[in-house]
Each structure stands twice: as C-alpha cells, then as structure tokens.
Amino acid sequence: MTPRESVLIVVDVQNDFVHDDGVFGKTGLDLTALPASVDNLLSLIDAARAARVPVIFIKTHHDAWNNSPAFVDRFVRKSAGTEICATGTWGADYYRVRPTASDHEVVKHRYSAFVGTSLEVVLRSLGRTTVLVTGVTTNVCVESTVRDACMRDYRAVLVTDCTAAPSKEEHESAIHNVRTYFGSVTDSATVMTAWSRSPQ
C-alpha cells in the first residue's frame, strides 16, 4: 500500500444513498452507519492527497439513456418507486465529499465502477496496482468494484471503516467475501500509517 503503487477509489458517496432526505432514507433504510463512515473517509481522502495518492471519485447516474429493462427491474429500485441518483438531480450530487482539480471523476451506470467506464484505462495510465476501495454500500457497489478489480489482477483492498451498508449483516458479509475470496481488508488508520512511513 505504498503511495507509489496505490490509488484511492471513492464509490457512490451521494445524497440518494447517504442523506436522510435521499431515496434510500425515504424508503426507510437505516442509514446510521453511512454518514459515520464518511467521517473516516474525509480524513483518508486528505491523507491520500497529502501522500500524492491519486483519488478517483465514482459517481452513479441513471436516466433513460442508460437504464436497461433488466436493470430497472431490480427490487430496490421498484421499492423506492423513483429513480435513484437520477442524472442532474440533488440526489446524484456528492454527500460531503468533493473532487478537487487534482482528483479524477468516473461516472458509472451499473454497480461496478469498471463496467462501461474509463476506470481501467485510468488505472493503467497511472501505473497503479493497488486499489483501495471505499464508499457505499459495502455489499453492493463497493463489493462489485472490489470483485472486478480482483478479476483484472489489481491488488484490491477494502477499507472497512470508510465503507458502510444499511445493516451490520450486509456490511460484515461483504467484508467476509472480500477477505476470503477477492482481496484484503484493512482500516483507514493502517492505511494512513503505511503512507506516512513510505517514500512518495
């Protein structure tokens, strides 16, 4: 996890997923753990920038141009009764995080940040081999991104206290899957210590 080989990926920290007034909040999901994980994430983002670790923000957008019949038929979307992270809406805006001019942004339309996006081209261009994945939710878009990073031969690392899910069970099951099958798990304090002790 040296700064020279690492990249920090921030997945879907957006109002519809994290804010109480977003779509997830309005459906009655328990979002308690999600804002708390953002507190930790903000510190990790600052540390990444200080260590010259590239930060890539992943943002979900959905609209008529990228929604397939199969994708809109998902249970969670039908339960919400409305579009989640609709393109151009407040719900699709970032929640408490914001890319700077030195960061990069990738817009996705499916769970994994690799599907149909430029992410892999960006990683190859940067020459980074260790992908530290954060954001929400641990068991859906974060885990999907970790799995695809593993399939593409990146060292995938899940930063557990910078991710969250609506339930403890969902969060912990994703951690188990990553730890056992798809990569490594760690916490933000360990990452920041490793960066501070390594040459940039």
Side-chain angles (χ1 to χ4, degrees), residues 11-12 17 24 29 34 58 60 62 71 74 76-77 84 108-115 133-148 158 163-167 169-175 177-178 182:
V11 178
D12 291 357
F17 296 127
F24 271 25
L29 290 172
L34 279 70
I58 310 298
T60 289
H62 291 297
F71 202 68
R74 294 165 297 134
V76 66
R77 186 180 183 279
I84 303 170
K108 68 180 177 68
H109 309 295
R110 296 296 181 266
Y111 291 150
S112 170
F114 285 93
V115 173
V133 186
T134 65
V136 297
T137 61
T138 322
N139 59 312
V140 185
C141 294
V142 171
E143 183 178 342
S144 295
T145 299
V146 168
R147 286 172 180 248
D148 277 358
L158 176 67
T163 64
S167 72
E169 292 76 15
E170 289 170 313
H171 180 65
E172 290 184 347
S173 68
I175 291 173
N177 283 342
V178 172
F182 301 111

Side-chain angles (χ1 to χ4, degrees), residues 90-157:
W90 170 87
D93 285 344
Y94 290 108
Y95 173 87
R96 293 179 59 201
V97 300
R98 189 72 53 186
T100 66
S102 63
D103 303 322
H104 188 68
E105 182 179 69
V106 171
V107 175
K108 68 180 177 68
H109 309 295
R110 296 296 181 266
Y111 291 150
S112 170
F114 285 93
V115 173
T117 74
S118 62
L119 180 57
E120 191 166 10
V121 171
V122 170
L123 293 176
R124 287 202 310 268
S125 299
L126 292 171
R128 304 294 167 129
T129 56
T130 299
V131 175
L132 294 98
V133 186
T134 65
V136 297
T137 61
T138 322
N139 59 312
V140 185
C141 294
V142 171
E143 183 178 342
S144 295
T145 299
V146 168
R147 286 172 180 248
D148 277 358
C150 173
M151 299 304 141
R152 289 163 171 79
D153 296 318
Y154 293 98
R155 293 186 180 92
V157 181

